[in-house]
């Protein structure tokens, strides 16, 4: 089974929404027939990039480089806002292990079930050349920080 780049981006987006954005979503703890609802709560307020960085640093003390992204470019069509995401290289030796670590943080905060537990190794989770090139470009453009700022 090959995971698409969308799964990887979804994992990062989920991380950004749950921890940073404050998205109110109901995710079942175990396989059940409960409906899943996604959406913003009435009191939702988008956090600034600086606020997002502070929150990430609370959960991942590996971040030592201060946030330094002055002014992002205009949002691309379809993106709601910019989100701060961790540089996975600081979290774990492999991307799959980094995603697992993020999922553990999510599970410590709210009901969350990792449907891919134990299945995020290189035989399941592979980046396409296109995705790898996009991430390398982002990392090069935003070098010197422990996080990346991405539109989502």
């Amino acid at each position: 089974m090959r995971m698409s780049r969308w799964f990887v981006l979804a994992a990062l987006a989920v991380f950004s929404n749950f921890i940073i954005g404050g998205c109110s979503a109901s995710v079942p703890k175990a396989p059940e027939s409960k409906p899943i609802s996604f959406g913003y709560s009435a009191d939702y307020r988008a956090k600034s990039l600086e606020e997002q960085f502070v929150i990430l640093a609370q959960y991942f003390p590996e971040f030592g480089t201060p946030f330094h992204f002055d002014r992002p470019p205009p949002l691309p069509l379809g993106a709601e806002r910019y989100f701060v995401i961790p540089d996975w290289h600081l979290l774990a030796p492999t991307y799959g292990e980094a995603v697992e670590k993020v999922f553990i943080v999510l599970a410590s905060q709210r009901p969350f079930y990792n449907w891919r537990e134990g299945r995020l190794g290189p035989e399941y989770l592979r980046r396409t050349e296109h995705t790898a090139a996009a991430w390398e470009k982002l990392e090069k453009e935003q070098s010197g920080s422990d996080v990346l700022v991405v539109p989502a």
Side-chain angles (χ1 to χ4, degrees):
M1 169 182 178
R2 182 175 174 190
M3 293 209 182
S4 72
R5 65 182 171 178
W6 298 112
F7 174 79
V8 174
L9 293 176
L12 292 171
V14 164
F15 176 71
S16 296
N17 277 332
F18 280 110
I19 289 184
I20 297 169
C23 180
S24 65
S26 171
V27 180
K29 188 72 172 166
E32 298 174 4
S33 61
K34 293 182 181 178
I36 299 175
S37 63
F38 295 92
Y40 298 111
S41 64
D43 61 343
Y44 173 75
R45 178 188 68 81
K47 291 177 176 41
S48 71
L49 295 177
E50 292 80 8
E51 289 173 303
Q52 292 178 41
F53 180 81
V54 168
I55 293 168
L56 274 177
Q58 291 172 358
Y59 293 100
F60 301 103
E62 298 89 345
F63 299 147
T65 306
F67 179 77
H68 72 276
F69 199 77
D70 296 328
R71 187 173 191 96
L75 282 169
L77 185 64
E80 292 182 19
R81 66 188 47 89
Y82 281 97
F83 289 96
V84 176
I85 60 170
D87 178 350
W88 70 266
H89 297 95
L90 296 174
L91 301 179
T94 68
Y95 187 78
E97 291 175 71
V99 172
E100 289 277 357
K101 191 170 183 178
V102 168
F103 285 168
I104 289 168
V105 170
L106 286 174
S108 74
Q109 293 190 331
R110 59 189 35 90
F112 179 83
Y113 183 79
N114 179 4
W115 295 94
R116 297 284 180 216
E117 189 172 354
R119 293 179 289 176
L120 289 174
E123 66 275 16
Y124 297 102
L125 186 60
R126 293 181 292 274
R127 293 193 301 175
T128 64
E129 289 180 28
H130 176 76
T131 300
W135 282 111
E136 286 174 23
K137 180 181 176 196
L138 278 172
E139 290 167 348
K140 185 177 179 181
E141 290 172 352
Q142 299 180 33
S143 65
S145 180
D146 292 344
V147 297
L148 296 174
V149 177
V150 297

